[in-house]
């Protein structure tokens, strides 16, 4: 600093003298002849001292091994400020060349790739990253004073410099730390793969690949990672592992025959097994694997699943659209939840298909055509329901007040409609007996195929006669006699249901 102040003082003195003598930074030869010899000699001595001190300062800086230095010189001409700026720019250009050479050397050493034989795209990316690191280093450059009339009269010289320690932090340590992060992620992924923790391994490989692309782009980076003494290109290694792991995961069903009722509820939920087919042909359970399920035929609501310690997971199908007879689920590993796979060309994964079938259902209509007449049909409806259940058929009760003609297939979600219609009649007295009543009860059964609602079978039963002290009891007696034939006919119709 003392040298700098002294130099600046001498420079200012010289400039003041020149200002008195004219516009030039040093006396012209013509003027020297007009000046007293003593003044000319003093001026020359002053300039000589300035140059000596500037040379000493620059020499000391260049011998200092803790700095990278750039030196720039420009002609002052008629504009000292413009000359200084040009000298500074030249100094920065020289420093940038030195830094770029160093960056390229360290980048090549750390990535172990010099761009020789690389594609044009990779070579361009290497160049861009070298420029980025070079610019990053040059963001905090220190600058010396401007040395006027050095090394020659009418010149100005400027030094710019940065500590080598700062470069080491901004470039070399940064590159090493980034590479070490990628290598460590790959090693952790290899360790998880060896321990058969395939999901964790896949996540680690994805993280390693993402870091490498972020840190080095498409520039190949080499390192020894698996203990074989050979240095692998990390990007290729990660790609090989990611594609290999995903291609070896298989999904299978642990159960089958999934039936849902007319309300869309499954009797049992699908259970999935995830396995990894290793190089020996053995199948190893894949734990903690998220599964994605969706309907590819039909509609409904199904949740996701995650495999447990034995590689098993149960899907939760909340409901299936009961208006369709069959539905199909598609189950795949939910890779998107594990990380970003867009950088990898994964082979198509064959999804696991799960077939869902609506249970065979019969809509049951039991009605009395002409009012109750003392007939209670509830017991008959229960008896026919029991016959249907014995045949493993689901029963869908038809709302009271409907007739076979008014029933719509869309609201039933059934395969058949069984209509049992009771037609009581009579109720008059018997002969001259005022306290004896007679009644008749006819019945008919119809079986329709849904949803077309086409009549498949029809049976009309002979009317049964009943007697009682009241009209209601007579109707009940006739109905009671009809119950057996009705159930017998219903049983025969039900046996014909496929």
């Amino acid at each position: 600093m003392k040298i700098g102040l002294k130099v600046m003082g001498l420079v200012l003195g010289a400039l003041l003298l020149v200002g008195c003598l004219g516009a030039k930074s040093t006396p012209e030869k013509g003027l020297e002849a007009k000046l007293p010899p003593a003044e000319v000699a003093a001026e020359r001595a002053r300039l000589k001292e300035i140059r000596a001190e500037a040379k000493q300062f620059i020499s000391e800086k260049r011998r200092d091994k803790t700095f990278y230095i750039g030196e720039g010189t420009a002609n002052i001409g008629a504009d000292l400020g413009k000359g200084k700026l040009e000298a500074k720019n030249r100094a920065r250009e020289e420093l940038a060349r030195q830094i770029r050479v160093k960056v390229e050397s360290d980048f090549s050493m750390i990535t172990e790739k010099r761009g020789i034989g690389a594609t044009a795209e990779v070579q361009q990316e290497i160049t861009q990253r070298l420029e980025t690191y070079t610019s990053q280093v040059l963001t905090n450059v220190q600058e010396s004073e401007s040395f006027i009339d050095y090394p020659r009269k009418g010149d100005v010289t400027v030094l710019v410099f940065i500590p080598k320690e700062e470069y080491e932090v901004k470039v070399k340590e940064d590159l090493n730390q980034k590479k070490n992060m990628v290598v460590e992620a790959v090693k952790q992924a290899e360790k998880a793969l060896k321990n058969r923790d395939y999901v964790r391994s896949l996540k680690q490989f994805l993280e390693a690949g993402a870091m490498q692309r972020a840190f080095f782009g498409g520039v190949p980076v080499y390192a020894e990672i698996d203990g074989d003494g050979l240095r692998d290109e990390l990007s290729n290694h990660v790609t090989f592992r990611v594609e290999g792991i995903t291609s070896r995961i298989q999904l299978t069903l642990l159960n089958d025959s999934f039936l849902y009722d007319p309300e869309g509820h499954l009797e049992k939920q699908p259970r999935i097994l995830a396995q990894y087919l290793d190089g020996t042909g053995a199948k190893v359970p894949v734990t903690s694997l998220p599964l994605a399920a969706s309907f590819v035929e039909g509609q409904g609501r199904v949740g996701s699943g995650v495999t447990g310690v034995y590689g098993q997971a149960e899907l939760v199908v909340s409901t299936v659209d009961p208006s369709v007879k069959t539905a199909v689920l598609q189950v795949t590993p939910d890779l998107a939840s594990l990380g970003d796979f867009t950088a990898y060309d994964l082979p198509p994964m064959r999804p696991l298909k799960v077939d869902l079938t609506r249970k065979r259902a019969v809509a049951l209509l039991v009605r009395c055509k002409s009012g109750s007449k003392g007939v209670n049909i509830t017991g008959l409806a229960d008896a026919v329901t029991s016959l249907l259940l014995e045949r493993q058929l689901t029963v869908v009760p038809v709302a009271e007040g409907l007739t076979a003609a008014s029933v719509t297939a869309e609201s039933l979600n059934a395969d058949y409609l069984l209509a049992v219609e009771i037609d009581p009649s009579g109720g008059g007295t018997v002969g001259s007996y005022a306290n004896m009543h007679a009644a008749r009860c006819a019945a008919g059964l119809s079986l329709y195929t849904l949803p077309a609602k086409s009549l498949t079978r029809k049976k009309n039963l002979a009317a049964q006669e009943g007697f009682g002290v009241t009209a209601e009891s007579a109707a009940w007696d006739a109905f009671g006699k009809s119950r057996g034939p009705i159930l017998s006919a219903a049983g025969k119709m039900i046996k014909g249901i496929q």
Side-chain angles (χ1 to χ4, degrees), residues 329-342:
L329 279 176
Q330 176 176 283
V331 186
T332 59
D334 187 7
L335 298 181
S337 67
L338 300 180
D340 184 6
F341 285 84
T342 55

Side-chain angles (χ1 to χ4, degrees), residues 51-64:
R51 294 194 190 102
E53 292 186 0
K55 183 177 181 180
Q56 181 181 357
F57 178 83
I58 293 173
S59 297
E60 289 177 355
K61 273 295 180 185
R62 288 206 170 277
R63 288 194 299 269
D64 191 339

Side-chain angles (χ1 to χ4, degrees), residues 203-253:
K203 288 181 178 179
Q204 287 289 106
F205 278 122
L206 289 174
E207 183 178 341
M211 284 193 293
Q212 176 163 349
R213 289 189 297 276
F215 297 159
F216 302 101
V219 180
V221 180
Y222 292 80
E224 202 286 322
I225 54 177
D226 49 16
D228 60 359
L230 301 176
R231 307 185 82 76
D232 299 295
E233 201 287 297
L234 297 180
S235 180
N236 289 337
H237 183 83
V238 169
T239 298
F240 174 76
R241 287 301 197 204
V242 169
E243 295 178 358
I245 293 174
T246 55
S247 65
R248 291 175 178 270
I249 295 177
Q250 300 177 344
L251 300 181
T252 55
L253 272 171

Side-chain angles (χ1 to χ4, degrees), residues 84-316:
K84 288 181 178 180
L85 181 60
E86 185 175 350
K88 177 180 176 182
N89 289 338
R90 290 176 180 177
R92 287 182 64 88
E93 289 173 3
E94 181 185 338
L95 179 61
R97 283 193 293 270
Q98 295 181 44
I99 295 300
R100 194 185 188 286
V101 170
K102 180 62 177 172
V103 170
E104 185 172 9
S105 174
D106 288 336
F107 191 84
S108 300
M109 180 179 64
I110 291 171
T111 64
E112 301 186 21
K113 187 66 177 178
R114 302 179 184 276
I116 301 175
T119 65
E121 291 181 356
V122 171
Q123 184 60 61
Q124 182 180 8
E125 189 160 10
I126 291 175
T127 301
Q128 289 175 348
R129 291 183 181 273
L130 294 180
E131 295 299 334
T132 298
Y133 272 110
T134 301
S135 299
Q136 180 180 341
V137 174
L138 295 176
T139 56
N140 192 26
V141 174
Q142 300 179 42
E143 181 181 341
S144 72
E145 301 175 41
S146 300
F147 301 109
I148 300 175
D149 286 325
Y150 180 85
R152 295 175 299 275
K153 287 183 179 180
D155 289 343
V156 59
T157 298
V158 176
L159 259 62
V160 292
F161 43 89
I162 59 170
K164 291 184 177 180
E165 182 180 359
E166 183 174 335
Y167 166 84
E168 295 291 327
V169 173
K170 286 187 175 181
V171 179
K172 197 167 185 178
E173 288 185 16
D174 182 75
L175 282 170
N176 272 316
Q177 287 179 3
K178 288 177 177 177
K179 179 179 178 179
N180 291 339
M181 288 176 66
V182 177
V183 172
E184 182 61 24
V186 172
K187 288 183 176 181
Q188 290 298 321
E190 288 291 338
K191 182 179 180 181
L193 182 60
K194 184 177 181 181
N195 293 335
R196 297 183 171 183
D197 191 349
Y198 302 108
V199 172
R200 181 182 176 190
S201 176
L202 199 53
K203 288 181 178 179
Q204 287 289 106
F205 278 122
L206 289 174
E207 183 178 341
M211 284 193 293
Q212 176 163 349
R213 289 189 297 276
F215 297 159
F216 302 101
V219 180
V221 180
Y222 292 80
E224 202 286 322
I225 54 177
D226 49 16
D228 60 359
L230 301 176
R231 307 185 82 76
D232 299 295
E233 201 287 297
L234 297 180
S235 180
N236 289 337
H237 183 83
V238 169
T239 298
F240 174 76
R241 287 301 197 204
V242 169
E243 295 178 358
I245 293 174
T246 55
S247 65
R248 291 175 178 270
I249 295 177
Q250 300 177 344
L251 300 181
T252 55
L253 272 171
L254 290 172
N255 54 353
D256 55 14
S257 301
F258 306 105
L259 303 175
Y260 55 95
D261 62 25
E263 294 181 351
H265 299 136
L266 278 180
E267 290 185 339
K268 59 184 176 183
Q269 301 289 353
R271 295 175 61 225
I272 312 298
L273 175 64
Q275 294 175 302
Y276 178 86
L277 185 64
D278 68 14
T280 66
K283 294 182 178 180
V284 184
V286 180
T287 63
S288 302
L289 178 67
L291 302 177
S294 60
F295 281 87
V296 291
E297 292 183 25
Q299 295 180 344
R301 288 185 298 172
V302 57
S304 57
V306 179
T307 59
V309 66
Y310 299 109
Q312 301 180 14
E314 182 175 274
L315 296 180
V316 179

Side-chain angles (χ1 to χ4, degrees), residues 83 118 132 141 162 208 214 218 235 261 299 303 305 343 362 384 430-431 435 460 488 492 494:
T132 298
V141 174
I162 59 170
S235 180
D261 62 25
Q299 295 180 344
V362 178
V384 177
V430 177
N435 60 346
N460 292 321
S488 177
K492 291 178 181 180
I494 292 170

